Amino acid sequence: AQSVTQLGSHVSVSEGALVLLRCNYSSSVPPYLFWYVQYPNQGLQLLLKYTTGATLVKGINGFEAEFKKSETSFHLTKPSAHMSDAAEYFCAVSETGGFKTIFGAGTRLFVKA
Amino acid sequence: DVKVTQSSRYLVKRTGEKVFLECVQDMDHENMFWYRQDPGLGLRLIYFSYDVKMKEKGDIPEGYSVSREKKERFSLILESASTNQTSMYLCASSTQLTSGRSSYEQYFGPGTRLTVT
């Protein structure tokens, strides 16, 4: 069965600092991996996705994530945090050929001035 | 621009009432989903539909039903609302894949925050 673990329900960084949000997954088949962002009072929006091919994936707003099969990880990074990055971030996994997507519990990112 | 709309942003209902949450997408997507979102639990799948009149139970279907009479519309029904159904409800849609590459990315509506008193 698939599962997703996001380490840290809350992460706080200073503006300009590196953002690192951790995600580990379990899947019995090659997964598709996603990061979504949710701003206050809004639905989720896709940040980036990994399906096949290059393991370093670039997304919107300067975010990127690297698929590491040996570590079953898909951590999200951004070199320099901006105040507008404050939001909740969800890692998600789906299996090829399946309809269902499993979401992690979410990590709320706080950015300090 | 893709769009998923939900009928209400905020809803307050009384225990025992029948509640309808409506979702409409304009992307001609085959798949539609209903999730509930609770703090610390992420998103949990209630029901999904991969075609008109087709539905499949998700992880937490108890106390809910769904209806999909048209491709663009997917309704979530709380037959008899209870206080433990107070939550944020999110609708999403995705395209169905044919051969070749696939993405499974979902497009979300803004959510309905339901309070049952």
Side-chain angles (χ1 to χ4, degrees), chain A residues 38 40-44, chain B residues 4-13 19-24 33-39 43 46 64 74-78 85-92 108-116:
Chain A
Q38 185 179 34
N41 297 317
Q42 295 186 26
L44 278 68
Chain B
V4 180
T5 57
Q6 296 184 227
S7 51
S8 305
R9 292 300 303 272
Y10 300 93
L11 210 52
V12 180
K13 295 292 182 181
V19 181
F20 293 87
L21 303 183
E22 304 284 338
C23 175
V24 177
F33 307 82
W34 275 106
Y35 296 91
R36 65 176 281 175
Q37 181 182 11
D38 299 290
L43 276 68
I46 304 172
Y64 304 94
F74 192 34
S75 302
L76 179 69
I77 303 151
L78 286 65
Q85 293 178 309
T86 291
S87 187
M88 170 71 89
Y89 289 88
L90 292 169
C91 175
F108 285 82
T112 295
R113 188 166 293 282
L114 173 67
T115 301
V116 182

Side-chain angles (χ1 to χ4, degrees), chain A residues 58-76:
Chain A
K58 294 187 185 299
I60 61 171
N61 300 337
F63 284 92
E64 62 181 37
E66 187 171 10
F67 169 54
K68 292 188 176 180
K69 186 178 178 181
S70 61
E71 299 177 8
T72 61
S73 69
F74 191 57
H75 302 331
L76 181 70

Side-chain angles (χ1 to χ4, degrees), chain B residues 17-34:
Chain B
E17 279 193 81
K18 192 169 187 176
V19 181
F20 293 87
L21 303 183
E22 304 284 338
C23 175
V24 177
Q25 51 96 2
D26 65 359
M27 296 164 283
D28 201 36
H29 283 171
E30 293 81 4
N31 306 325
M32 296 188 75
F33 307 82
W34 275 106

Side-chain angles (χ1 to χ4, degrees), chain A residues 6 9 32-34 36 38 40-46 48-53 88 90 94-106 108, chain B residues 9-10 31 33 35 37-43 45 48 50 57-59 88 90 94 96-97 100-111 113:
Chain A
Q6 291 185 239
S9 59
Y32 290 168
L33 297 160
F34 309 87
Y36 289 86
Q38 185 179 34
N41 297 317
Q42 295 186 26
L44 278 68
Q45 175 186 353
L46 183 70
L48 51 79
K49 63 185 179 188
Y50 168 79
T51 54
T52 59
E88 190 155 23
F90 293 91
S94 67
E95 292 183 349
T96 55
F99 289 105
K100 291 173 66 174
T101 298
I102 305 299
F103 289 83
R108 185 167 295 279
Chain B
R9 292 300 303 272
Y10 300 93
N31 306 325
F33 307 82
Y35 296 91
Q37 181 182 11
D38 299 290
L41 297 177
L43 276 68
L45 182 64
F48 68 96
Y50 52 88
K57 292 180 179 179
D59 299 315
M88 170 71 89
L90 292 169
S94 71
Q96 197 160 85
L97 307 162
R101 290 190 172 277
S102 59
S103 63
Y104 295 115
E105 63 201 77
Q106 296 183 14
Y107 296 85
F108 285 82
R113 188 166 293 282

Side-chain angles (χ1 to χ4, degrees), chain B residues 39-62:
Chain B
L41 297 177
L43 276 68
R44 293 179 292 167
L45 182 64
I46 304 172
Y47 268 96
F48 68 96
S49 168
Y50 52 88
D51 200 352
V52 175
K53 297 191 184 295
M54 305 304 291
K55 60 186 179 184
E56 293 282 343
K57 292 180 179 179
D59 299 315
I60 52 164
E62 297 78 18

